[in-house]
Amino acid sequence: MDIQDQDATARWEALGSRDPRSRGTAMEHISQEVMRRVESIGPIPATVPSPLATAGHPTSDLNDILARLLMLSKRCPFDDVRERCVWLLQNVQDFGVRIPRPLGNGPSRFIPEKEILQVSKVDPRTQSIFEDAFAALGRLDNISLVMGFHPQYLESFLRTQHYLLQMDGPLSLHYRHYIGIMAAARHQCSYLVNLHVNDFLQVGGDSKWLNGLDGAPQKLQALGELNKILAHRPWLTKAHIEHLLKAEEHSWSLAELIHAVVLLTHYHSLASFTFGCGITPEIHSDGGHTFRPPSLSQYCVCDIANGNGHGHLEERRGNHQVSEVSGEVEVLMERMKQLQECRDEEEASQEEMATRFEREKTESMLVATAEDEECVPSRDVSRHFEDPSYGYKDFSRRGEHVPTFRVQDYSWEDHGYSLVNRLYPDVGQLLDEKFQMAYNLTYNTMAMHKDVDTTMLRRAIWNYIHCMFGIRYDDYDYGEINQLLDRSFKVYIKTMVCSPEKTTKRMYESFWRQFQHSEKVHVNLLLMEARMQAELLYALRAITRYMT
Amino acid sequence: MEKMSRVTTALGSSTISGRTMFCHLDAPANAISVCRDATQVVVAGRNIFKIYGLEEEQFVEKLNLRVGRKPSLNFSCADVMWHQMEENLLATAATNGAVVTWNLGKPSRNKQDQLFTEHKRTVNKVCFHPTEVYMLLSGSQDGYMKCFDLRKKESVSTFSGQSESVRDVQFSMKDYFTFAASFENGNVQLWDIRRPDRYERMFTAHTGPVFCCDWHPDDRGWLATGGRDKMVKVWDMTTNRAKEIYCVQTIASVARVKWRPERKWHLATCSMMVDHNIYVWDIRRPFIPFATFEEHKDVTTGIVWRHQHDPYFLLSGSKDSTLYQHMFKDASRPVDRANPEGLCFGLFGDLAFAAKESLISGDANRKPYPGGDRRYPIFFFKKPDLTEQFAHVSSALSVFESSLESKRMDWFVKTARLYLLSGKPFAELCDHNAKVAKELNRPQVSTTWTMLRIMFSDPANLSTPGPNHIGKLGTLPLMNSFSMKEMGMGTESRLDRSKGESRQDNIHLELGNSLINSNNDENEETEGSEGQAEYMFGDAELDDDDLYSMDMFFSLVFSAEEQEYTLPQEAFPLRHEIMDNPLAPEHLQQDKADSPQASGNEAEVMCLTPIESFSLISISQPLFSPHLPAPFFCPVVREMLSHYAEQGDVQMAVSVLIVLGDRIRKEIDDLTQEHWYMSYIDLLQRFELWNVSNEVIKLSTCSAITCLNQTSTTLHVNCSNCKRPMSNRGWICDRCHQCASVCAVCHHVVKGLFVWCQGCSHGGHLEHVKNWLKSSSHCPAGCGHLCEYT
């Protein structure tokens, strides 16, 4: 049985091979296996609504395989595998066995599927990145597909993630995935939690840990506190670090801690991205597919609107809004131009600058973070963390005064990088490249306009996020933010960064209405990286203080 | 001791004086600078901007430049510089992008003179021209450098580095018009102040940001740079291309670098993170700092030599809010604490040893160098100051080769090659390995294999395999005997033979088994092949020359027969008696541990393993039952394995572990197993036995080990046409769209195993090339190369 399982895994893995012949053989084996099982079950009478829950072991096993085939038929970067999977599913269906169909439409709830890159039609470079990702993980997740809008960034992102999860590092593999689960669960991101629960079990993790943090070793429990603080109010102090490092037999080493911190921040910000782009569950995981035949009543309106066809609703709403927003982009560009020109003329006094920062900081608090309308139904992810009431708390509003973090005193380039690279070699370099890539990425376009210098806009977004975390750039005029970012955009940023689980489709749609989806994804990348850097800066500064 | 007394005499010539001293600042410092006559120092930081007077015994606060109730960001300084010509003039770089000049001659409290707010981002550095009074240069995060004429309201020229973030700008000391700028992307640019349109030259100095640079005060062409990559590099700029002439590797990113006045080869550095010390390096000796100042408790942010022509005073400011004056004589000298001895084992048991000559020469009656080292001529005309010279340590290197008799590690290599670990039935594997061990003259190991086969084979098969051989005492050729070649002092590492034997007798007495004694004697005699005939039972099955105990054989036979008639219950009490066994091997091991310097030969005679003691006891008590279940032996085997591992023969431990597989695996905890595997694999790889090591990795059951050959499995191939890396597929190049790996024999594309000559890089299908080489030794591509394949 054990060996059989291993064989099966090896076969699935072989589908990621670059050599078409070995893919072919693997596919052949899989189809034989599937057909054997199908025959053993025999055709299920179509009249009986197959009760999935009570189905015997072989059926649910088969269903898993079928779901996986469905995923491959949509997401595998190799043509041959996709075709074979479709063919095989068809065959299975001909036998009278019910086959699954994907729920939802495409990798994102917010972005129509047709806008997103099709796996079958990408340029060679992206294709190669996808193939690499597929070979490494055996899947091409929805996150990568959405990031596929920006292949340069995607490459850097995947390389970093691969290094963090799979390459040499102070933490063992199952620890890494568990920390990922902890971090994602903090934001109730069931998508990432599901993904990593599978990975965690695959690398030999103890399933008892998954019952909750109580089931995990003491050492990881100690990390829960850090996770909580980092995710919501990252102003860590030396004492927090000391608490982790001086816990006798459960203590962390510095290198392990750095690894854990990088993982935590990575998954916090990735959770932001997941919600910000409305990533849908993977096809082969729970909630990504259904065995029920399609019936009209189950479609909800938003599904239609998000579908491939032009939803009437969207169209109508779009028409309605076009008139009032048409000038939006031009206004923004005009403002940027003005700022560029008049900056040298009127020079605000230093006091004025300081107040501007404070004002922006306070104001960012007042930006309401979404009405508590739609809470994402999470598969009791809450058991992975404690104290659910602990959320993002705004600066100053609660009376607890947190001093402003001056980036000139502790910056990623000068200080953070050196510390990370010292304790966790190469990761500093990878993160550095990723930050730079995200910060400098531009196509010099804004909606329908070409050759626009967007530096100013990107810097405003980046600094606004850091401002929300209390990080101040001495050399930045925070008045610019007010000019460039309108209210609905601020609401979106604030929600995504501070409580991503509350992001809604309406928020996504209501900012920058004329911009392309790829540009909105670009914004999401900026948000994600800025957030990660902000959290990292706080954590690394605390570690540095501990060390001196 | 002698050195210290000379310091004071050297100091006598100096015009300024003082001692190591410090004062507390109110806030962390970002930068410091001294005025020309070395009597005052300015300290600047985010919340501090003060001038201190340098007096004989202490720092005295002279002036606080940070005035006003709520000082603006213009006071938040990233850098400060005191003009070297005009002693009332200061310039600071503010974190908000302003460049500010200060005139100390102003009568009002606020000394601010000029304010330039042309930079858009933080200004990282300001620099006055060394000879021109009104010329000021600044470098900023926004990628621009600006040159200001202090008589005008705005900059006179702007230099664009075409990249992000200027980290440092420095006017050349000798070239009036030249300045150097270092950048965050690793580049260093040289500019002519008259030509703002384009840099004169540019080169990449570091990977990652270059935080600082400094021109050599005397040598026109030398520029020192320090970067985040933890290196200090010295560049010779006089040649056409900037040439790296020295490189010092530090332990943390380099924040500041300053040449030491009057000393051509010395420079001081401090770091930006983690490391709080200030180092003075002799660039010719890049591996150990010449001097270290260890006073600061947090990172040092600014260092400056107090006077342009005095190498003995160093000032430093730090994040720990202190300002220090360091005296060179108080510096600690790492070289004094360094350990000049080194020891290393070679692969084949050779030993290299380096030690101070003085230590060795005393032993070897060499001629010591009288009064220091004469091989290094002294260049100084003055009486050389010993504290200013690097202590010359010359070490003598001795290499001790292991003696030939101990056969080096050949046995290890051969054993690793010949052992079979899988692919055959268990019994055959054991037999094969036993044979291998015997051929290599390692009878103990051989016996162990045979025993294992008997223990773990099915009882039904027990009668068919050859009888077990007890009593042949094994050998572990340890590499302890060296002959010291260089010194000519042979070490007598062999113990007295008689001593060893007497100990043996003790053991025998304790065991109360005189049989073994005779066995031992026999053993040595019957190393040859003719011993066989002497034994009555030496029939066809007994094709070994191993010693063979008749008693043992009988006991086996008898017990096997008896077993049929006795009730099974009787086996149980017997077991308990055997449980006592571990006492015996423990005792033996202790005994063994008492003589760690036992030579190979001796070990051969006296090494007794638990396995044997076990069997010895079972001889006296004929209770060896073939029907004992295999798990019964597990504790003994486990102990045997750890014994081998402890003895240094991890090879045996791992081989047995693999061959026994599930039979024993659960008995030994995972960490130990992993440890053994790692050690064995490490050994194998040092002997370049890649195939064996890979086989071991593959056969191991520890997840930590099996994943070893899952790492770094990528093979990077360059296209043979355009020489660019091929990213996508191995056989077709994305860039030039040609099939890169064509078989030189059949001219088809190779998609599987591709073999090629490393000389001419032609090759093709493995089979084709093999066939080709049978007929010709020239390259099949016709390039005329005589291909070589290993």
Side-chain angles (χ1 to χ4, degrees):
Chain A
M1 189 64 206
D2 219 6
I3 296 165
Q4 220 173 13
D5 268 4
Q6 273 178 6
D7 274 4
T9 352
R11 251 179 262 140
W12 291 110
E13 273 169 14
L15 287 182
S17 156
R18 282 190 189 281
D19 177 24
R21 257 182 309 173
S22 56
R23 288 202 302 264
T25 345
M27 205 57 226
E28 195 55 45
H29 280 298
I30 289 171
S31 45
Q32 276 168 12
E33 174 78 13
V34 169
M35 292 323 277
R36 193 175 55 74
R37 289 190 190 209
V38 167
E39 277 158 24
S40 76
I41 294 170
I44 298 170
T47 47
V48 183
S50 109
L52 278 183
T54 55
H57 182 67
T59 332
S60 66
D61 232 22
L62 177 65
N63 283 345
D64 282 350
I65 296 178
L66 290 181
R68 201 154 178 177
L69 285 173
L70 178 69
M71 180 272 287
L72 288 175
S73 72
K74 297 274 178 193
R75 296 281 191 269
C76 182
F78 299 106
D79 302 336
D80 50 345
V81 176
R82 280 201 307 271
E83 281 160 20
R84 291 277 298 173
C85 284
V86 171
W87 174 82
L88 182 56
L89 281 172
Q90 192 59 48
N91 266 10
V92 171
Q93 195 173 27
D94 292 348
F95 255 87
V97 174
R98 191 159 284 157
I99 58 159
R101 65 185 173 81
L103 264 181
N105 296 288
S108 161
R109 286 187 296 131
F110 298 168
I111 309 169
E113 193 172 8
K114 64 183 164 60
E115 296 259 351
I116 295 178
L117 294 175
Q118 299 293 302
V119 186
S120 44
K121 296 171 248 167
V122 288
D123 58 296
R125 181 171 174 197
T126 322
Q127 171 76 20
S128 149
I129 298 172
F130 280 173
E131 282 174 13
D132 276 340
F134 190 79
L137 290 167
R139 61 163 185 257
L140 189 61
D141 46 26
N142 290 339
I143 291 185
S144 309
L145 276 176
V146 174
M147 283 182 186
F149 279 120
H150 307 281
Q152 293 160 295
Y153 174 83
L154 176 64
E155 196 172 9
S156 171
F157 172 83
L158 287 175
R159 197 168 33 198
T160 312
Q161 183 167 271
H162 183 247
Y163 195 94
L164 287 177
L165 290 176
Q166 264 128 331
M167 306 296 277
D168 295 344
L171 289 172
S172 55
L173 293 180
H174 60 288
Y175 260 60
R176 302 180 196 191
H177 287 292
Y178 195 78
I179 292 173
I181 294 171
M182 281 169 71
R186 194 65 235 172
H187 283 311
Q188 297 161 42
C189 180
S190 49
Y191 170 80
L192 286 174
V193 170
N194 285 338
L195 217 57
H196 284 279
V197 163
N198 289 341
D199 290 347
F200 173 75
L201 294 173
Q202 209 162 27
V203 296
D206 184 348
S207 56
K208 276 195 220 99
W209 297 13
L210 295 175
N211 294 331
L213 204 51
D214 300 334
Q218 194 99 44
K219 196 169 163 181
L220 282 168
Q221 288 182 28
L223 197 67
E225 180 73 11
L226 186 78
N227 179 22
K228 191 172 78 181
I229 299 174
L230 261 184
H232 302 295
R233 332 174 228 192
W235 13 110
L236 289 166
T237 63
K238 204 168 139 178
H240 292 123
I241 304 297
E242 205 160 59
H243 176 69
L244 285 171
L245 295 178
K246 297 252 172 80
E248 275 142 33
E249 76 263 42
H250 304 299
S251 61
W252 291 75
S253 74
L254 266 176
E256 285 172 335
L257 184 66
I258 292 275
H259 194 170
V261 161
V262 174
L263 279 171
L264 285 176
T265 52
H266 179 82
Y267 280 102
H268 287 155
S269 50
L270 195 57
S272 279
F273 180 84
T274 309
F275 285 112
C277 292
I279 302 287
T280 51
E282 294 295 333
I283 292 177
H284 65 290
S285 66
D286 288 351
H289 61 271
T290 179
F291 283 87
R292 280 193 223 151
S295 74
L296 273 174
S297 63
Q298 277 167 350
Y299 268 96
C300 63
V301 179
C302 69
D303 261 355
I304 297 171
N306 195 24
N308 293 337
H310 285 273
H312 308 285
L313 265 168
E314 194 180 31
E315 191 117 12
R316 220 181 321 142
R317 197 169 47 185
N319 280 338
H320 176 62
Q321 285 168 347
V322 157
S323 52
E324 60 174 279
V325 295
S326 58
E328 209 184 27
V329 186
E330 284 74 18
V331 169
L332 188 56
M333 285 173 64
E334 190 53 39
R335 283 206 187 131
M336 281 168 65
K337 213 188 221 165
Q338 269 173 11
L339 280 173
Q340 200 96 45
E341 284 161 1
C342 69
R343 176 140 59 168
D344 306 40
E345 293 163 21
E346 55 108 14
E347 204 34 70
S349 74
Q350 295 310 311
E351 290 71 25
E352 173 64 17
M353 296 293 249
T355 6
R356 278 183 193 172
F357 173 72
E358 291 302 327
R359 194 171 57 213
E360 207 54 50
K361 207 164 78 176
T362 355
E363 226 172 70
S364 79
M365 311 302 138
L366 302 176
V367 172
T369 59
E371 324 76 86
D372 282 287
E373 36 171 301
E374 176 199 355
C375 214
V376 182
S378 51
R379 192 190 81 166
D380 59 340
V381 286
S382 57
R383 63 172 182 231
H384 293 296
F385 63 89
E386 308 156 311
D387 194 4
S389 62
Y390 191 99
Y392 170 85
K393 275 203 193 151
D394 306 329
F395 271 76
S396 52
R397 195 161 61 172
R398 311 275 155 139
E400 68 176 307
H401 180 70
V402 181
T404 303
F405 186 119
R406 306 273 192 158
V407 94
Q408 264 77 11
D409 291 346
Y410 198 99
S411 68
W412 164 256
E413 287 80 13
D414 292 3
H415 306 91
Y417 170 90
S418 304
L419 183 65
V420 173
N421 233 22
R422 183 184 191 88
L423 293 166
Y424 187 11
D426 296 343
V427 167
Q429 192 59 44
L430 286 169
L431 290 176
D432 199 37
E433 278 164 23
K434 189 157 71 91
F435 287 142
Q436 275 187 22
M437 177 65 75
Y439 192 86
N440 294 328
L441 187 69
T442 183
Y443 306 96
N444 292 320
T445 57
M446 266 176 84
M448 50 294 213
H449 301 272
K450 295 217 163 51
D451 296 324
V452 191
D453 182 7
T454 56
T455 321
M456 194 174 250
L457 191 57
R458 284 181 283 126
R459 194 167 165 221
I461 297 172
W462 187 277
N463 287 359
Y464 181 62
I465 293 156
H466 277 190
C467 170
M468 279 194 294
F469 285 103
I471 297 174
R472 178 174 177 190
Y473 291 80
D474 281 348
D475 52 1
Y476 189 68
D477 174 8
Y478 285 85
E480 278 182 28
I481 288 178
N482 243 355
Q483 303 265 330
L484 297 177
L485 312 184
D486 59 16
R487 190 167 170 79
S488 56
F489 189 33
K490 277 183 177 173
V491 170
Y492 179 74
I493 295 181
K494 167 90 175 173
T495 315
M496 229 195 88
V497 170
C498 299
S499 39
E501 61 277 8
K502 290 181 186 148
T503 317
T504 60
K505 186 162 188 222
R506 211 171 70 201
M507 277 186 223
Y508 176 83
E509 277 163 358
S510 62
F511 82 93
W512 281 13
R513 271 162 290 195
Q514 286 178 311
F515 283 76
Q516 320 263 330
H517 283 292
S518 75
E519 288 172 311
K520 291 194 172 186
V521 172
H522 184 176
V523 167
N524 268 296
L525 295 180
L526 264 179
L527 300 187
M528 168 169 134
E529 293 302 330
R531 174 176 183 198
M532 179 169 183
Q533 199 182 69
E535 282 185 24
L536 262 182
L537 279 176
Y538 274 107
L540 294 176
R541 188 178 66 165
I543 294 174
T544 311
R545 286 194 174 156
Y546 168 81
M547 286 167 76
T548 50
Chain B
M1 295 303 112
E2 206 181 343
K3 284 177 194 164
M4 294 312 286
S5 60
R6 290 195 193 169
V7 174
T8 45
T9 55
L11 268 176
S13 61
S14 175
T15 51
I16 48 175
S17 60
R19 60 182 188 95
T20 296
M21 58 186 184
F22 75 100
C23 77
H24 282 290
L25 310 171
D26 311 326
N30 276 349
I32 61 172
S33 185
V34 283
C35 72
R36 189 174 53 154
D37 58 4
T39 54
Q40 291 183 344
V41 57
V42 57
V43 183
R46 172 173 292 284
N47 294 312
I48 183 171
F49 190 20
K50 282 181 181 175
I51 291 177
Y52 285 89
L54 288 158
E55 301 193 349
E56 192 84 13
E57 292 293 313
Q58 61 188 352
F59 290 101
V60 175
E61 185 179 327
K62 285 272 164 85
L63 186 63
N64 188 356
L65 288 157
R66 206 178 149 80
V67 292
R69 207 163 37 81
K70 204 179 170 213
S72 77
L73 274 180
N74 290 345
F75 286 100
S76 166
C77 306
D79 191 36
V80 64
M81 182 154 182
W82 204 314
H83 204 293
Q84 293 303 302
M85 304 289 293
E86 174 63 64
E87 62 183 30
N88 275 335
L89 201 54
L90 291 171
T92 58
T95 51
N96 64 349
V99 174
V100 195
T101 57
W102 311 81
N103 188 351
L104 300 181
K106 270 193 171 181
S108 66
R109 265 187 77 219
N110 191 350
K111 310 283 184 197
Q112 183 171 329
D113 193 18
Q114 292 236 55
L115 179 70
F116 304 97
T117 52
E118 291 178 37
H119 284 295
K120 294 195 185 77
R121 305 282 305 269
T122 299
V123 180
N124 287 320
K125 190 77 191 169
V126 284
C127 183
F128 281 114
H129 195 276
T131 49
E132 197 63 48
V133 178
Y134 295 110
M135 202 186 283
L136 175 68
L137 190 66
S138 67
S140 156
Q141 196 78 12
D142 61 11
Y144 291 101
M145 294 141 279
K146 285 178 188 283
C147 184
F148 303 95
D149 184 331
L150 299 184
R151 291 162 296 194
K152 291 180 183 162
K153 284 260 178 265
E154 52 199 53
S155 63
V156 284
S157 45
T158 301
F159 310 85
S160 168
Q162 305 289 349
S163 80
E164 252 195 56
S165 304
V166 187
R167 300 307 298 242
D168 200 355
V169 282
Q170 291 288 343
F171 276 110
S172 166
M173 292 292 189
K174 303 287 172 190
D175 275 327
Y176 184 88
F177 295 111
T178 309
F179 73 89
S182 73
F183 289 84
E184 198 151 290
N185 59 8
N187 288 342
V188 169
Q189 295 177 355
L190 246 57
W191 289 81
D192 187 318
I193 202 85
R194 296 160 296 186
R195 289 199 55 193
D197 53 330
R198 214 190 122 72
Y199 52 81
E200 298 277 285
R201 61 159 58 158
M202 176 169 84
F203 60 96
T204 302
H206 294 266
T207 53
V210 188
F211 287 136
C212 52
C213 59
D214 196 30
W215 290 97
H216 197 285
D218 306 321
D219 201 306
R220 172 176 299 250
W222 283 15
L223 180 74
T225 59
R228 191 170 72 179
D229 58 359
K230 307 180 189 173
M231 287 201 259
V232 181
K233 290 181 179 173
V234 178
W235 303 87
D236 184 359
M237 311 292 277
T238 49
T239 48
N240 269 338
R241 281 191 56 184
K243 203 172 81 189
E244 180 187 328
I245 45 175
Y246 293 103
C247 177
V248 177
Q249 184 90 44
T250 67
I251 59 167
S253 55
V254 181
R256 311 265 168 175
V257 55
K258 284 273 176 276
W259 288 99
R260 190 175 173 205
E262 311 284 304
R263 294 287 181 278
K264 188 176 179 190
W265 309 101
H266 289 185
L267 49 78
T269 67
C270 67
S271 126
M272 189 164 266
M273 278 290 288
V274 193
D275 185 16
H276 311 156
N277 297 344
I278 303 163
Y279 301 102
V280 178
W281 300 89
D282 184 322
I283 49 175
R284 296 164 301 177
R285 299 280 299 270
F287 302 108
I288 188 162
F290 175 62
T292 314
F293 300 102
E294 293 160 340
E295 279 85 358
H296 285 297
K297 302 279 184 295
D298 201 340
V299 284
T300 312
T301 47
I303 48 175
V304 61
W305 295 95
R306 186 170 160 190
H307 193 268
Q308 284 177 26
H309 298 288
D310 189 328
Y312 299 105
F313 293 83
L314 180 70
L315 299 169
S316 69
S318 155
K319 277 238 157 80
D320 65 2
S321 308
T322 55
L323 173 66
Y324 258 94
Q325 169 169 277
H326 308 277
M327 300 294 300
F328 211 78
K329 63 168 174 155
D330 294 338
S332 75
R333 300 299 186 89
V335 75
D336 295 341
R337 284 172 287 154
N339 181 6
E341 277 84 40
L343 182 73
C344 187
F345 263 111
L347 198 52
F348 291 95
D350 303 340
L351 178 76
F353 174 65
K356 257 189 178 162
E357 264 182 346
S358 55
L359 286 177
I360 287 183
S361 55
D363 288 348
N365 295 331
R366 272 202 204 163
K367 238 200 281 172
Y369 295 105
D373 200 340
R374 277 192 186 153
R375 286 175 297 179
Y376 298 92
I378 294 155
F379 292 110
F380 296 85
F381 292 109
K382 284 190 284 184
K383 191 179 175 197
D385 178 2
L386 274 187
T387 57
E388 287 303 318
Q389 284 185 318
F390 229 118
H392 286 294
V393 181
S394 47
S395 304
L397 178 71
S398 324
V399 177
F400 307 97
E401 288 180 346
S402 62
S403 67
L404 284 172
E405 300 113 81
S406 56
K407 301 239 181 71
R408 307 196 165 188
M409 291 287 276
D410 293 348
W411 62 272
F412 178 87
V413 179
K414 281 196 184 128
T415 314
R417 283 221 181 91
L418 295 175
Y419 266 3
L420 279 180
L421 299 178
S422 66
K424 281 189 176 176
F426 171 70
E428 280 178 47
L429 290 179
C430 287
D431 280 344
H432 175 88
N433 293 345
K435 219 173 105 203
V436 169
K438 190 154 60 63
E439 273 160 14
L440 289 169
N441 215 358
R442 305 174 68 209
Q444 187 202 17
V445 174
S446 165
T447 312
T448 310
W449 281 112
T450 318
M451 292 290 299
L452 283 173
R453 189 200 56 200
I454 295 166
M455 285 176 182
F456 288 95
S457 291
D458 295 336
N461 301 337
L462 194 65
S463 49
T464 42
N468 56 336
H469 310 278
I470 313 289
K472 173 88 183 214
L473 298 173
T475 171
L476 275 176
L478 296 169
M479 306 296 98
N480 298 25
S481 47
F482 302 106
S483 58
M484 300 174 79
K485 278 200 172 167
E486 160 119 17
M487 306 313 303
M489 281 178 19
T491 338
E492 186 48 68
S493 60
R494 270 168 229 175
L495 281 184
D496 235 311
R497 183 76 186 200
S498 58
K499 194 178 150 200
E501 271 173 4
S502 69
R503 185 163 41 236
Q504 252 172 38
D505 290 349
N506 289 341
I507 298 164
H508 302 321
L509 286 175
E510 273 162 27
L511 289 171
N513 194 337
S514 59
L515 179 79
I516 296 179
N517 212 345
S518 66
N519 279 352
N520 272 327
D521 298 339
E522 293 276 67
N523 178 19
E524 279 150 49
E525 290 160 20
T526 56
E527 280 302 315
S529 55
E530 84 285 2
Q532 209 172 318
E534 294 178 26
Y535 301 106
M536 291 160 41
F537 282 82
D539 56 3
E541 282 176 42
L542 288 171
D543 50 352
D544 310 284
D545 58 351
D546 267 340
L547 268 185
Y548 165 68
S549 146
M550 282 185 264
D551 284 1
M552 183 59 193
F553 187 76
F554 279 124
S555 69
L556 260 182
V557 174
F558 288 139
S559 63
E561 280 169 2
E562 272 166 15
Q563 197 65 42
E564 293 179 14
Y565 301 107
T566 48
L567 289 169
Q569 286 99 314
E570 281 187 19
F572 291 110
L574 297 179
R575 272 189 204 180
H576 289 294
E577 281 188 44
I578 297 171
M579 291 296 270
D580 295 334
N581 281 341
L583 287 176
E586 247 171 41
H587 180 83
L588 290 175
Q589 274 175 336
Q590 252 172 14
D591 204 305
K592 174 82 180 141
D594 287 341
S595 57
Q597 67 277 64
S599 72
N601 287 349
E602 201 195 19
E604 189 176 330
V605 186
M606 60 149 290
C607 174
L608 290 164
T609 64
I611 241 4
E612 282 152 345
S613 61
F614 168 72
S615 52
L616 292 175
I617 287 166
S618 58
I619 293 166
S620 49
Q621 301 165 334
L623 40 82
F624 195 93
S625 157
H627 289 298
L628 283 172
F632 170 78
F633 298 104
C634 284
V636 187
V637 175
R638 184 181 64 209
E639 236 167 86
M640 185 262 307
L641 290 183
S642 1
H643 173 75
Y644 272 116
E646 268 167 41
Q647 291 266 313
D649 189 4
V650 76
Q651 180 177 50
M652 183 66 187
V654 172
S655 304
V656 171
L657 200 59
I658 292 175
V659 170
L660 285 179
D662 283 333
R663 299 179 185 88
I664 190 75
R665 196 189 307 144
K666 304 230 163 34
E667 293 288 317
I668 299 164
D669 69 296
D670 288 346
L671 267 181
T672 318
Q673 287 193 30
E674 199 183 312
H675 182 66
W676 290 349
Y677 274 120
M678 288 307 274
S679 325
Y680 188 37
I681 289 163
D682 188 43
L683 270 174
L684 287 173
Q685 293 184 342
R686 286 187 63 177
F687 281 100
E688 302 182 351
L689 297 163
W690 312 113
N691 288 341
V692 186
S693 116
N694 206 39
E695 193 191 352
V696 169
I697 292 173
K698 216 172 118 192
L699 290 172
S700 75
T701 47
C702 299
S703 53
I705 304 297
T706 38
C707 71
L708 279 181
N709 57 6
Q710 311 284 318
T711 54
S712 59
T713 49
T714 322
L715 190 67
H716 298 279
V717 194
N718 280 12
C719 172
S720 57
N721 293 322
C722 63
K723 311 283 185 260
R724 290 288 202 41
M726 294 198 291
S727 53
N728 211 347
R729 279 171 282 261
W731 56 87
I732 187 158
C733 178
D734 293 335
R735 288 199 178 72
C736 54
H737 299 288
Q738 288 204 17
C739 288
S741 44
V742 178
C743 175
V745 182
C746 70
H747 299 286
H748 285 295
V749 179
V750 188
K751 288 190 179 176
L753 279 180
F754 187 89
V755 62
W756 67 92
C757 167
Q758 297 196 329
C760 65
S761 65
H762 291 118
H765 293 103
L766 182 61
E767 278 304 308
H768 294 169
V769 174
K770 259 189 190 166
N771 286 336
W772 176 271
L773 287 176
K774 278 179 196 154
S775 55
S776 166
S777 59
H778 284 274
C779 177
C783 68
H785 186 255
L786 279 168
C787 289
E788 277 184 65
Y789 292 93
T790 47

